[in-house]
Structure formats: structure tokens, C-alpha cells
Amino acid sequence: MVVNNVLVVGGGTAGWIVASMLAKHLKAGSPDGIKVRLIESPEINIIGVGEGTFPTMRDTLKSLGVAEGDFMRECNATFKQAIKFVDWERAPSGHNHSYYYHLFTPPKRASGIDLTSCWLAANKAHGTSYASLVSLQGHVCDAGLGPKKITTASYDGLLNYAYHLDAVKFTEFLRNFSTRHLGVENLRGTVRQVILRDDGAIDALLTDEYGELRADLYIDCTGFGARLLGDALKVKFIDCRDTLFVDHALVAQVPYEQENSNIPCYTISTAHEAGWTWDIGLSHRRGVGYVYSSRHTTHERAEQVLRHYLGDVTGQQAVRRIPMRVGYREKFWEKNCVAIGLSSGFLEPLESTALVMVEAAAQMLVDLFPRSEAAMPLVAKKFNGAFRYRWERIIDFVKLHYCISHRDDNLFWSDNRVQASIPDSLQEKLALWKMQTPTNHDFPSVYETFNLGSYQYVLYGMHYDTQLAHQGEAHQLLAQQEFLNAANKIHQLKNTLPNHRSLIEKVYAHGFPPV
């Protein structure tokens, strides 16, 4: 049987990214293309408190034919150059706070040499941050500058960047764009029942509005409920609560104190007694949330922590509580159904992995799309292996932030350092990295979501104790030279790059030059 009829179930951000990419790259509506339909329920609301993306979103939008300025204007998007981790290494003391950056521009090399060993040699004498040696982007973030100029072409940048965006508006934008320009058919209706064939595959979806809907391939984007893969096909959920402890979020939409307040060009992640807050600056408001472990605090105390962070001690700011089931499905492709987005799994939003996993799944589906039913089991096996690897490695990376922290102000932090809670794969890496710095050989797969640079920024942003056998004077001299070189380049960048808010206002008004 030929596979050319796809039905995406669920109309959130995941559903519309998948539908858009399939329609664009597999020529929906053309004689040799596929048919892409998306059914979404008018009864389900999208959670929208500010969403962070990876730099990969630029390639995704560019490949769809979206103008960067239009996307940013319609989605209240701003630029994201990093995640700023505040108070993660140690608890604050009075008004003293520590922080480090996970930057999007990879650590630079000097004369072919990884500067990490140079920093390890020089830091003992100078006490400078790792990011300040290996990248200029942290200085740009501290100065509140954008990653490009208004004259820079769409999707190009003087520094690497991603976006903060309004998820509700992004969904609306993709819906309008894909139905008008890409040939996606939008169905508004409610799925009441999943009808299975004798072999266990999906035969049809019973809806109130359209009766039975049939397709060759079903994409489950139904969110936490996983109506198709979980409920109907009974694919097991792997719970990760013993590794990643947070299980609730309190979220709020926060107006700026002043209309022209500066907009941080990074996500702010601040550690607290039993979890952490995210703080995302959109053009018109902030999206803030407190992610916490209910095993280590109460819901009432968690709300006090969030309100203290917001400065809203009077209780005027509306706050919503969202339970989180942290883990992933044993398989992501079963029979003729693929789960993408929250239906495939969910991890806390510490490193903004939700949308990049959707992008990766949609791209792999495009690349390996089975044109015959006979090919489907083989493609499914490859897809399942790739995404099992992705989930396991992301869990390693998220856990890294907790297990190398020196905070001891709550059992939440000490429990995160208990070896039984740390995956064996991460324990092995950390043991090796006590004696030598990470290399690309520690990240051998094309399915790595976080590579060498990401690990370096976190490890040495938190001053992980790597004891090198040789830290000679030459390393210190090279580090000192790089600091001097950086000082000149920082001055140039500060005279070149615009203030972040002023850049956003120009983008909304004029857009960027086309590529």
C-alpha cells in the first residue's frame, strides 16, 4: 500500500510544526506529493507563558519560506542568545549572586587549542569566568545588545541566536501560513474514539463533526494525554522522577514595570530552594514560571517563592499550577502512529528542549518518510532508536546542572547528588572529566542534542574540578593573550550591535533584508 495520506491529531505548536514541515518538504497538494490534514479541538487551550527555542528554529522557519521579520512581529518574538543560570553553583549569600552563561556561540579555539585547559590554568590566578575567555557573547548579553543589526540578512547573525516567542501566537502564525501557502487542510473537530484494525494499527478516528477519518499515517500531537500512542496503542510511559525530581510548575504572565524596559536577550534561570524559575522576556511582557519538586516543598511554599521572585507579595498576580509527568514513551512510533511533542514525552524546560525535539522528529520524518506500508516497520525501528538516544542524553545533560551544584540549602539539592539518582552514562563521563577535559569523542552520535560546547559551558560555568596533569605557564600566557584580544573585540562589538529592545522595535517596523 502506498503511504501518501497523513493525519496530524492535535493543533498545538508541535502539530503545526510537523504539518508545516511535511507539507512543505513532501509537496502537499502536488500530483507526486502527500496529503496533510490536521484536526484540532476547539475545546483545548494552549499553555502560553513564553517559550524558548534552539538556534535550529532559524533553519526550520527559513526552510518553510517564512520571513523572519513577519514571524517575529506576529509572535511577539525576541532574540535569545543564551541561558543565564543564576545561583545554580551555590546558594545566594545576602545580595551576592553567582551566575554563568550557557551561550549559543560555541567556545572558540586559539591556534587550534581548546582554551578549556588554558582557563583551568589561568582561573586559579585570575578568577575569571569560563565564558569570558572562550566567547564574546556573554559580554554582549551583559550589555543588553542584540545578536545582529537591522541591516543583517534574515536568519543571519553576527552571533548565534534563537528566539523567545509567544506559543499561542506562534501556533496561530503557523496555522495561517501552512493553510494559505503550504496546502495543509485544517479540520476543526473533536476525536471521540480511536478505532483499531485487527493487527493493532489505527484504522480510523471517530469524530463528532466528520464521522470516521482515515489516513495511512497518524501523527499523535495530543499533548500529555497521548490519545493515540498511549491510550489507544498502549505504549508504555517511562517515568523519570527518580532522576529528575521536579514535577510541578507555577506560571504567570508578568507585565513590564515600564513600557520601555530593556528586554534581556537570554533566558534567566534562577535556582531556588526546591527548584528554579524561568524568566523569558517577550516584546510586551515576561513569561515566568517556578518549576519545583513537590517531594521537597509544598505548593503553598512554592507560590511564596515565586511571588517573592516577582516582588508580588500582595497576591495580585494571577498564578497557574501545572502538574508535570516527567519521562518519555518506550516507543515513539508504533504501527502506523508517530508521537511527536508532549505525547512522546516531557522533560522540565531547563534547556528549552521541547520545540527542538519537535523539529528533530519532524525533520527525521521528512527525511525517512515511508512511501509504502512495507517500509514502515523498518523506518519506525530507526526512528525509535534515534529518539530513545536523544531522550536519554537530554536527561543526562539536564541532570548535570543539578548533580554538580554545591547548593545545600534544601534536601532537593543534596538528593540530586545521590549517585543512585544519576544515570550511569553521566557518572562515567563525570569520573573521566575529573581527570581530563571533555572532547568531541565524548559525543559521537549525530543524534546529540547537546554537544561539547554545551557541556563545557555548564561544567566550567559551575567550576567543575578537573585536575589536569599538566597546566604549564604556556597555558596561562595563552589565556592572558586571549583575554587581551577579547577586550578589543568586545569594544568593537559594543559599538556595532544595537540595544536589544531598539532592534526588536526596528524589526517589527521594517523586517530584515531577504536572504
Side-chain angles (χ1 to χ4, degrees), residues 201-219:
I202 297 176
D203 180 53
L205 304 182
L206 181 62
T207 68
D208 292 342
E209 295 80 4
Y210 307 99
E212 292 185 357
L213 291 176
R214 284 183 168 81
D216 304 320
L217 183 64
Y218 298 85
I219 313 297

Side-chain angles (χ1 to χ4, degrees), residues 64-365:
L64 294 176
V66 171
E68 187 176 29
D70 292 345
F71 149 72
M72 294 190 69
R73 184 186 312 109
E74 295 297 324
C75 302
N76 294 333
T78 57
F79 292 108
K80 174 185 175 182
Q81 300 187 65
I83 302 174
K84 182 177 183 178
F85 288 95
V86 180
D87 294 336
W88 276 81
E89 184 182 359
R90 58 185 180 274
S93 176
H95 296 290
N96 296 322
H97 299 269
S98 62
Y99 75 89
Y100 72 92
Y101 282 115
H102 176 189
L103 301 169
F104 286 161
T105 298
K108 65 170 290 189
R109 299 173 69 89
S111 303
I113 297 174
D114 183 349
L115 288 171
T116 302
S117 57
C118 299
W119 177 80
L120 287 168
N123 183 57
K124 290 180 172 59
H126 301 287
T128 50
S129 73
Y130 177 75
S132 64
L133 173 64
V134 299
S135 177
L136 302 176
Q137 195 162 32
H139 299 278
V140 170
C141 290
D142 283 338
L145 305 178
K148 60 193 296 184
K149 298 184 291 185
I150 191 62
T151 54
T152 309
S154 288
Y155 302 114
D156 287 346
L158 301 182
L159 296 166
N160 199 14
Y161 66 89
Y163 308 101
H164 292 137
L165 54 85
D166 184 318
V168 175
K169 290 183 177 294
F170 188 40
T171 298
E172 295 171 354
F173 179 84
L174 289 174
R175 180 191 294 119
N176 293 334
F177 186 85
S178 62
T179 53
R180 293 174 183 175
H181 303 291
L182 303 179
V184 177
E185 182 181 350
N186 185 202
L187 307 176
R188 304 284 285 182
T190 302
V191 175
R192 294 300 179 191
Q193 183 182 351
V194 180
I195 303 170
L196 301 182
R197 302 189 319 217
D198 292 341
D199 64 357
I202 297 176
D203 180 53
L205 304 182
L206 181 62
T207 68
D208 292 342
E209 295 80 4
Y210 307 99
E212 292 185 357
L213 291 176
R214 284 183 168 81
D216 304 320
L217 183 64
Y218 298 85
I219 313 297
D220 185 349
C221 295
T222 59
F224 289 120
R227 292 279 309 282
L228 279 62
L229 193 79
D231 286 353
L233 297 182
K234 307 301 181 186
V235 174
K236 179 182 174 183
F237 182 83
I238 299 174
D239 197 307
C240 297
R241 75 179 77 184
D242 291 336
T243 298
L244 300 176
F245 303 153
V246 298
D247 57 5
H248 284 79
L250 290 171
V251 300
Q253 296 182 356
V254 184
Y256 286 113
E257 294 182 6
Q258 298 178 353
E259 186 176 343
N260 293 320
S261 297
N262 193 28
I263 305 170
C265 52
Y266 45 82
T267 301
I268 304 169
S269 172
T270 304
H272 300 286
E273 58 192 50
W276 57 276
T277 51
W278 78 77
D279 196 335
I280 287 176
L282 303 179
S283 62
H284 60 304
R285 63 168 173 81
R286 294 156 58 200
V288 182
Y290 180 35
V291 182
Y292 62 96
S293 166
S294 63
R295 287 173 284 177
H296 295 87
T297 190
T298 64
H299 299 307
E300 293 74 20
R301 175 57 187 163
E303 185 166 339
Q304 289 176 358
V305 170
L306 177 60
R307 292 192 180 283
H308 178 74
Y309 176 83
L310 295 176
D312 181 19
V313 294
T314 62
Q316 295 177 355
Q317 184 67 50
V319 173
R320 228 176 349 149
R321 185 196 305 157
I322 302 171
M324 303 188 306
R325 191 183 184 195
V326 176
Y328 55 91
R329 295 288 162 182
E330 188 174 51
K331 291 186 286 187
F332 313 100
W333 190 324
E334 174 71 353
K335 304 292 184 181
N336 59 345
C337 176
V338 186
I340 297 178
L342 296 178
S343 55
S344 68
F346 175 78
L347 299 179
E348 60 183 276
L350 182 65
E351 285 281 355
S352 306
T353 52
L355 290 186
V356 75
M357 288 291 274
V358 172
E359 293 176 85
Q363 187 61 60
M364 191 169 187
L365 185 56

